[in-house]
Amino acid sequence: MNRIRVAEIETLPRAGMEAIQLRRLQLLVARVYERVRPYREKMDRAGIKPSDIRSLEDLRKLPFTTKDDLRDNYPFGLFTMPLEQVVRVHASSGTTGKPTVVGYSAEDINTWAEVMARCLAMGGVTSGDMVQNAYGYGLFTGGLGAHYGAERLGATVIPVSGGNTKRQITIMRDFGSTVLLSTPSYALNLADAMADVGVTLDQLKLRVGIHGAEPWSLNMREEVERKLGIRALDIYGLSEVIGPGVAMECPQSERGMHVLEDNFLPEIIDPNTFEPLPPGELGELVFTTLTKEAFPLIRYRTKDLSRIYKEQCPCGRTLVRMEKVTGRTDDMLIIRGVNVFPSQIEHVLMGIEGVEPHYQIEVRREGNLDTMHVLVEVSEQVFHDEVKILEAMARRIQAEIKDLLGVTCSVKLVEPRTIKRSEGKAQRVIDYRKI
Amino acid sequence: MRVEQIAVFLENKSGRLAEIAAVLAANKVNIRALSVADTADFGILRLIVDKVDAAKKALKENGFTVGKTNVVAVEVPDHCGGLAGVLKIIEAAGLNVEYMYAFVNKSGENAVLIFRFDDMDKAIATLQKANITILSGEQVCSL
């Protein structure tokens, strides 16, 4: 049930793993210093040369990379190779209008398929499985990332993508899906819709669910397991680092997900002092990609809060484990698997003449789905005595948010000064979800 | 030929209408006619009052979003077919009514119809040509 795909790596004693990491880190730093000007300039300013990286401890001398760096070098400024050698790009929403763009060489696609296959194997998936991949296909890394990994493993993949819930359930029954890959909230949604289609648990062969791309609680895990009759496991990844396949929970682990640290070197830092924190302490998760070619990252600050554990897992793997992500150091929201920054909503509102920057975002979980409601104050400039004109404005805001973020929200017009003004930082988000 | 109307944005919350009425009362504003347009989330209160500027100022000071629009007030005999006759003229001229409301004056002989048209100038010209009585703001308030 828990097969180690690359045992010689995943059960390597620490010293051996660290030797691999150091060698890869040195090559990476030398390569980005030579090829990517923004990295070179940052390192020069910090007075660091690639030759200064003599031990893994020296990692902390390197400057961090943040989402701002990605935005400043939009779209391809941090790529290490010419676009002729880049075979694919993905993108996720940035903090304002510009998306975050990531690129892959043919070898990167190969690496990605391999790390994802290792994760699936860790979850007990084998070549005999029928894998229903309900992560969205497209610019989002979830769909294609999971797809290539499952194919690499030799499983049969159903590339059903997200949505179309009734059809998903019919397929699940008729094709005999044994593995479900989806966000946890969508897994619950599927479970609840089964009755509508007249499908019962005994008609399904579903065995394992691998769920990620949004935060979920242990309670939610129990609900998914009970309602779908499966073992539900956690997977972690983010498009900047590669997509899904960065870390995966094995069924024996009670301390989170194994990080594929021969590819992705994790650190936990204090988000205020930026100093590295010892194992077991809560802080911001930072990744350095050790094997990516086209778009490597050095000390990328994920803004995700987690802990790293170094104790060996009962499964036999020596890979360090990261705790389920418990929060963020910034105000990013995850709505139905999509990253949403309040600043993006503000960007849309500011683009509409007369709309005041007084807004609030309410997030709720209705049934199993996240819903986002944007409250906008009606100023005298946009007020009109005809209902249809006010409704058209609300629809326009809704459409522009959908255009930018790919998320449908409801827009509620409210009276001026009804959104509480706070002293200092405005409270832009009220999250009613109990995750 | 036009009557000033004030419009107030209302969230669907209990007590808002009462607050507006209280503000107007405290400022000695008399309401001559009103209508509320409502949707699932919000409403628009439209008012014809005797002191337009005083009403607008008082409501704004109390935190309401207030707008001022021009409408047409038409007087028709208060009997069957009064409204139908006016609407027939409007339809024949190809005019669109954005919204309308009505009240009956104190003597009970005539009804007053308040209209907002898509093309106000054309509407006034059409009504005048058909010899329909159009009231001024002062006339509406003195009825």
Side-chain angles (χ1 to χ4, degrees), chain B residues 56-71:
Chain B
K56 193 176 173 204
K57 184 164 171 275
L59 289 170
K60 272 179 81 166
E61 281 167 4
N62 281 276
F64 289 95
T65 303
V66 189
K68 205 156 78 169
T69 345
N70 289 318
V71 290

Side-chain angles (χ1 to χ4, degrees), chain A residues 1-7 10-11 117-126 129 153 207-208 210 231 233 248-254 256 258 260 312-319 321:
Chain A
M1 285 301 286
N2 172 21
R3 307 213 315 208
I4 303 182
R5 183 172 162 85
V6 197
E10 296 186 25
T11 61
R118 281 168 65 185
C119 286
L120 292 170
M122 211 184 283
V125 182
T126 70
D129 274 304
L153 200 59
R207 185 167 64 72
V208 181
I210 294 176
R231 185 71 206 263
L233 298 166
M248 170 77 202
E249 182 180 39
C250 76
Q252 284 135 292
S253 172
E254 286 173 357
H258 291 284
L260 299 196
Q312 198 183 317
C313 179
C315 75
R317 287 184 182 81
T318 51
L319 299 172
R321 281 173 289 170

Side-chain angles (χ1 to χ4, degrees), chain A residues 378 380 385 388 415-416, chain B residues 11 16 46 60 65 98-99:
Chain A
V378 174
E380 205 162 303
D385 62 319
K388 68 177 179 195
E415 287 174 18
Chain B
E11 243 178 272
R16 296 305 276 162
R46 303 175 187 125
K60 272 179 81 166
T65 303
E98 298 293 353
Y99 56 81

Side-chain angles (χ1 to χ4, degrees), chain A residues 60 266-285 299 305-308 310:
Chain A
R60 66 169 66 191
E267 294 173 86
I268 294 287
I269 61 161
D270 182 319
N272 300 311
T273 66
F274 310 128
E275 286 301 313
L277 293 173
E281 282 197 37
L282 183 68
E284 182 178 339
L285 190 55
R299 301 193 86 196
L305 290 171
S306 183
R307 292 179 169 87
I308 295 277
K310 292 204 162 168

Side-chain angles (χ1 to χ4, degrees), chain B residues 9 25 27 35 43-44 51 58 67 72-73 78 83 107 111 120 128 140:
Chain B
F9 182 79
N27 287 277
S35 88
I44 299 167
K51 290 183 270 255
V72 179
D78 183 21
L83 174 62
S107 68
M120 293 287 282
Q128 280 174 329
V140 170

Side-chain angles (χ1 to χ4, degrees), chain A residues 17-217:
Chain A
M17 176 59 75
E18 285 167 14
I20 291 175
Q21 288 174 331
L22 176 61
R23 197 171 62 242
R24 290 180 172 174
L25 177 66
Q26 288 169 328
L27 289 171
L28 167 77
V29 174
R31 196 158 53 88
V32 296
Y33 187 83
E34 187 198 317
R35 297 195 185 179
V36 188
R37 202 180 58 181
Y39 275 117
R40 185 167 55 245
E41 286 172 354
K42 263 187 152 179
M43 283 174 61
D44 285 344
R45 276 200 300 277
I48 306 293
K49 290 273 172 287
S51 58
D52 293 330
I53 307 301
R54 292 188 205 94
S55 71
L56 277 184
E57 286 291 294
D58 292 332
L59 178 64
R60 66 169 66 191
K61 294 178 181 167
L62 291 165
F64 291 105
T65 307
T66 64
K67 215 166 173 101
D68 288 343
D69 294 314
L70 273 48
R71 190 189 53 212
D72 293 345
N73 295 288
Y74 173 88
F76 309 132
L78 292 180
F79 288 12
T80 63
M81 34 177 62
L83 288 174
E84 298 88 86
Q85 287 167 264
V86 173
V87 300
R88 196 196 300 169
V89 290
H90 280 280
S92 64
S93 50
T95 48
T96 55
K98 284 183 189 169
T100 299
V101 182
V102 295
Y104 302 80
S105 67
E107 187 51 33
D108 289 333
I109 296 290
N110 183 43
T111 303
W112 191 11
E114 186 56 33
V115 291
M116 189 62 207
R118 281 168 65 185
C119 286
L120 292 170
M122 211 184 283
V125 182
T126 70
S127 59
D129 274 304
M130 178 68 74
V131 175
Q132 182 155 346
N133 185 17
Y135 285 115
Y137 282 67
L139 277 179
F140 172 56
T141 49
L144 284 168
H147 181 105
Y148 275 59
E151 272 192 4
R152 172 64 58 91
L153 200 59
T156 311
V157 188
I158 312 169
V160 66
S161 195
N164 217 333
T165 305
K166 287 184 178 170
R167 190 180 67 181
Q168 296 249 3
I169 294 165
T170 308
I171 285 173
M172 200 181 279
R173 179 193 59 197
D174 297 351
F175 294 12
S177 308
T178 53
V179 177
L180 173 65
L181 309 181
S182 73
T183 61
S185 58
Y186 193 63
L188 275 182
N189 207 29
L190 281 170
D192 289 348
M194 273 168 48
D196 302 340
V197 193
V199 170
T200 52
L201 267 192
D202 59 306
Q203 295 175 303
L204 300 181
K205 292 187 182 159
L206 217 52
R207 185 167 64 72
V208 181
I210 294 176
H211 308 296
E214 66 184 14
W216 54 315
S217 63

